[in-house]
Amino acid sequence: MNAIMLKNITKKFGDNIIFKNLNFDINEGEVVTITGESGKGKTTLLRCLAGLEKIDDGTIEIFGKKLVQNGKYVPYKTQKEILKYVGMVFQNYGLFPNLTVEKNLKIVCKDDEKIDELLRNFELFDKKNLYPANLSGGQKQRVSIIRTL
């Protein structure tokens, strides 16, 4: 089963065509790398898949459910249901500087045991009471990945 299916995806910003008639499938469990020059649409594509940016035309399916078909999006409530399977780690990590690591994670997860388990798995348990300013770049990135999970 395809986890993600893109068919004839087109995205424009004004007259600037970011990608046109883009097609690909990603199977469940498959790891895919998107590479290319800076400014060629990699982040825009990921933003479209996460529902943070709208495509102009084409079809996106996630786990067999159509998010958008021929450029027409399903109702918002259905979008939310489909997109709960999609997460994105931002380049700037998106951590709240005034919250500890633990409190940054509690924004999305209220399960203390799960938070502790993930912090241990990512070797950050001893950092849970620190603020982002006291973390290295790699540690901030791992906190952001945990929040996405």
Side-chain angles (χ1 to χ4, degrees):
M1 170 190 225
N2 288 333
I4 298 174
M5 187 275 301
L6 301 180
K7 185 175 179 185
N8 299 321
I9 301 298
T10 298
K11 175 63 182 166
K12 301 182 278 187
F13 290 114
D15 292 336
N16 187 19
I17 298 172
I18 308 304
F19 36 83
K20 184 174 183 177
N21 295 325
L22 177 66
N23 295 281
F24 70 82
D25 299 329
I26 300 172
N27 295 318
E28 190 170 356
E30 187 175 14
V31 176
V32 175
T33 302
I34 302 170
T35 62
E37 295 175 32
S38 181
K40 297 299 181 186
K42 300 178 299 293
T43 300
T44 298
L45 174 61
L46 294 174
R47 289 177 57 80
C48 290
L49 288 173
L52 301 173
E53 194 74 56
K54 300 290 185 190
I55 62 169
D56 295 294
D57 199 11
T59 300
I60 298 174
E61 280 187 24
I62 298 174
F63 289 108
K65 297 181 180 176
K66 285 185 174 48
L67 176 66
V68 54
Q69 184 168 15
N70 300 321
K72 305 245 187 274
Y73 280 79
V74 297
Y76 179 72
K77 186 176 181 181
T78 306
Q79 288 179 45
K80 282 182 65 175
E81 181 64 26
I82 293 169
L83 290 171
K84 74 180 182 183
Y85 298 104
V86 179
M88 183 171 175
V89 176
F90 294 93
Q91 290 176 350
N92 69 355
Y93 315 121
L95 300 177
F96 293 98
N98 60 325
L99 298 178
T100 64
V101 166
E102 182 178 38
K103 288 182 181 173
N104 264 283
L105 298 175
K106 282 189 175 189
I107 290 172
V108 295
C109 180
K110 305 300 181 208
D111 184 340
D112 291 340
E113 289 179 24
K114 184 67 174 175
I115 289 172
D116 287 350
E117 174 189 350
L118 287 166
L119 287 170
R120 281 188 187 91
N121 288 343
F122 281 81
E123 299 179 3
L124 291 170
F125 186 77
D126 62 329
K127 310 291 186 208
K128 72 190 258 181
N129 294 314
L130 295 181
Y131 290 88
N134 302 112
L135 302 175
S136 71
Q139 290 167 335
K140 290 175 191 175
Q141 187 173 40
R142 284 184 279 156
V143 173
S144 187
I145 290 169
I146 292 169
R147 188 178 54 201
T148 300
L149 293 173

